[in-house]
């Protein structure tokens, strides 16, 4: 019975993935991509990787989906030719196919190092969730770079702004009728989302959850509040938002330097303070991830809607 | 007994989902499609939540299930309103 379910799930994932790539029209591809992310999340959950499933659903299907939808909406309002010319299709397909082939080859060709048994070293990490132990202790270097990549992506998006718009508020202007459906939705859901996001970060130390999943939920709360008109998108120079954006990577780097000075090396956490240190880094990181992801979706400063 | 209730209720829920999906595919315009989706699927989800509710071991699990249903209702209702308004103002039936 469960084998039948898994086979059906695999077929669905492959089918929807194919539909994302070969279907015509940007909007259709984006919708299929979101569906693909949700199905993949169910797949991860079936494999028992609940942390990955949460991240897949929140970041890949939810947030990346929203990013792609926003990009598609922008293309439509700019009346840009969204459909690539027919002669670009074959080279694009070939390029995609070769990347897939190289990745597939690497999967088989690269030697598999014998990974240390995580259950043996887990007590040395200070936290009970093996995923959090890897992300913030054993492989903290990767996570630090990831948080910097997010920040760089946001700066890259801001670079797309026109000079005249630079001081304007970020993103398009959202219209929500006061006391309309969206305005009410934007008042009811954020408190629940706040609790859930903070819970995911807090629970991530010993249970399923973590900074990225919780941060994405918080980003969704910020986005909803902005779209419902409860929160105004800031300008690039807004000091509080700037502090929020760099807080996570900053705390992370400071913790790393403290490890280099007081302990064995950069980003090493001695067991006695590992748990409080990890929780502090995670809390700061979640704030920054939430702010960065939300502002990524909101987009570059844009003066266009100011008159409306 | 609890298993029997789960089978029956989730089966009813699935019937509503099938009906909602049939409506989404078969109905002619945006508004009637929304009607099929939100009405039938929300009811179907309610039945499935009730069915799974018979399998829970603690009250807290039941509360979480009910919260999921309530949030899905809220989101579906809001999104349906927003899609309908967007369809109304752009005047496109697609």
């Amino acid at each position: 019975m469960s084998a039948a379910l898994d086979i059906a799930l695999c077929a669905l994932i492959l089918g929807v993935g194919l539909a994302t790539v070969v279907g015509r029209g940007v909007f259709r591809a984006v919708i299929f991509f979101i569906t693909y992310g949700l199905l993949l999340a169910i797949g991860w959950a079936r494999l028992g990787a609940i942390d990955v499933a949460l991240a897949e659903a929140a970041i890949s299907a939810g947030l990346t989906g929203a990013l792609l939808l926003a990009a598609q909406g922008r293309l439509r309002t700019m009346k840009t030719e969204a459909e690539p010319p027919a002669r670009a299709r074959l080279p694009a397909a070939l390029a995609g196919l070769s990347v897939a082939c190289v990745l597939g080859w690497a999967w088989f060709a690269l030697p598999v190092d014998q990974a240390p048994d995580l259950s043996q070293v887990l007590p040395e990490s200070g936290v009970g969730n093996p995923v959090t132990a890897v992300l913030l202790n054993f492989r903290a270097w990767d996570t630090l770079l990831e948080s910097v990549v997010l920040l760089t992506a946001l700066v890259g998006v801001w670079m797309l702004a026109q000079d005249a718009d630079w001081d304007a508020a970020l993103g398009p202007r959202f219209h929500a009728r006061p006391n309309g459906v969206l305005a009410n939705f934007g008042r009811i859901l954020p408190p629940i989302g706040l609790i859930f996001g903070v819970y995911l970060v807090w629970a991530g130390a010993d249970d399923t959850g973590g900074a990225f999943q919780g941060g994405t939920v918080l980003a969704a709360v910020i986005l909803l509040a902005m779209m419902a008109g409860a929160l105004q998108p800031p300008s690039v120079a807004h000091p509080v938002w700037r502090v929020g954006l760099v807080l996570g990577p900053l705390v992370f780097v400071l913790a790393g330097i403290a490890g280099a000075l007081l302990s064995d090396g950069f980003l090493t956490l001695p067991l006695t303070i590992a748990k409080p240190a990890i929780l502090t880094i995670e809390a700061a990181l979640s704030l920054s991830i939430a702010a960065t992801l939300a502002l990524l979706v909101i987009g570059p400063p844009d003066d266009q809607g100011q008159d409306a | 007994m609890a298993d029997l209730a789960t089978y029956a209720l989730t089966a009813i829920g699935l019937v509503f989902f099938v009906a909602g999906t049939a409506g989404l595919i078969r109905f002619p315009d945006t508004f009637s499609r929304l009607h099929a989706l939100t009405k039938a699927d929300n009811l179907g989800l309610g039945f499935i939540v009730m069915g799974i509710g018979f399998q829970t071991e603690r009250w807290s699990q039941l509360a979480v299930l009910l919260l999921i249903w309530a949030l899905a209702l809220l989101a579906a209702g809001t999104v349906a309103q927003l899609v309908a308004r967007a369809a109304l103002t752009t005047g496109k039936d697609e």
Side-chain angles (χ1 to χ4, degrees):
Chain A
M1 186 61 199
S2 66
L5 182 68
D6 288 338
I7 290 169
L9 189 61
C10 287
L12 266 176
I13 290 174
L14 287 177
V16 173
L18 201 66
T20 311
V21 182
V22 300
R24 274 175 168 252
V26 177
F27 185 68
R28 176 185 297 246
V30 173
I31 298 300
F32 271 121
F33 177 79
I34 296 173
T35 317
Y36 173 77
L38 288 175
L39 287 171
L40 218 53
I42 300 176
W44 285 118
R46 290 285 303 161
L47 290 171
I50 309 293
D51 289 86
V52 189
L54 269 178
E56 179 71 35
I59 299 175
S60 171
L63 205 112
T64 314
L67 257 179
L68 292 174
L69 277 178
Q72 194 262 343
R74 199 169 274 262
L75 278 178
R76 214 177 39 197
T77 50
M78 284 159 55
K79 305 269 191 303
T80 312
E81 191 67 39
E83 200 69 26
R87 63 189 151 74
R89 287 216 181 95
L90 188 65
L94 284 178
L97 195 66
S98 31
V99 170
C101 286
V102 169
L103 283 178
W105 169 81
W107 171 263
F108 289 109
L110 286 182
V112 183
D113 282 333
Q114 197 62 45
D117 189 359
L118 201 55
S119 58
Q120 300 217 326
V121 288
L122 191 57
E124 297 168 23
S125 69
V127 288
N129 180 359
V131 179
T132 306
V134 170
L135 281 182
L136 283 150
N137 199 339
F138 303 135
R139 304 288 299 172
W141 182 235
D142 298 16
T143 313
L144 173 63
L145 289 184
E146 271 168 28
S147 67
V148 176
V149 164
L150 271 183
L151 198 58
T152 317
L154 180 64
V155 175
V157 166
W158 284 353
M159 290 298 117
L160 298 174
Q162 293 175 353
D163 273 350
D165 293 347
W166 185 249
D167 293 324
L170 295 173
R173 300 294 155 269
F174 297 105
H175 308 281
R177 294 175 315 135
N179 291 318
V181 177
L182 184 58
N184 278 320
F185 191 58
R187 277 198 286 268
I188 296 173
L189 208 55
I192 304 173
L194 269 179
I195 294 175
F196 185 53
V198 172
Y199 168 78
L200 273 179
V201 179
W202 174 252
D206 292 310
D207 209 338
T208 302
F212 277 89
Q213 294 93 330
T216 313
V217 172
L218 294 178
V221 167
I222 297 174
L223 278 173
L224 183 60
M226 282 181 178
M227 287 175 184
L231 189 68
Q232 293 304 318
S235 65
V236 169
H238 198 291
V240 177
W241 280 89
R242 281 194 168 186
V243 170
L245 289 174
V246 297
L247 189 67
L250 188 70
V251 169
F252 215 150
V253 169
L254 287 180
I257 293 174
L261 294 179
L262 305 172
S263 183
D264 296 339
F266 188 61
L267 281 175
T268 51
L269 300 171
L271 179 58
T272 43
I273 59 151
K275 178 149 188 189
I278 286 178
L279 276 178
T280 314
I281 295 172
E282 279 216 296
L285 210 52
S286 321
L287 275 182
S288 292
I289 289 170
T292 314
L293 292 180
L295 294 188
L296 264 179
V297 176
I298 289 291
D302 190 352
D303 211 12
Q304 264 181 343
Q306 215 69 307
D307 50 352
Chain B
M1 186 60 201
D3 283 353
L4 213 61
T6 301
Y7 282 131
L9 287 170
T10 45
I12 296 172
L14 287 180
V15 170
F16 277 106
F17 266 101
V18 170
T21 310
L24 173 71
I25 297 171
R26 298 290 299 173
F27 279 169
D29 61 15
T30 308
F31 304 108
S32 43
R33 281 179 191 163
L34 277 175
H35 163 83
L37 257 192
T38 46
K39 281 232 171 72
D41 284 6
N42 285 341
L43 214 58
L45 186 63
F47 273 109
I48 288 178
V49 162
M50 269 201 285
I52 301 174
F54 277 97
Q55 302 294 323
T56 52
E57 288 158 6
R58 289 193 303 273
W59 282 103
S60 60
Q61 293 173 333
L62 194 62
V64 169
L65 278 174
L66 287 176
L67 182 68
I68 290 173
W69 186 48
L71 288 176
L73 277 183
L74 186 70
T78 308
V79 170
Q81 290 279 337
L82 295 177
V83 171
R85 180 157 300 128
L88 205 59
T89 49
T90 54
K92 276 199 311 186
D93 277 345
E94 195 48 57

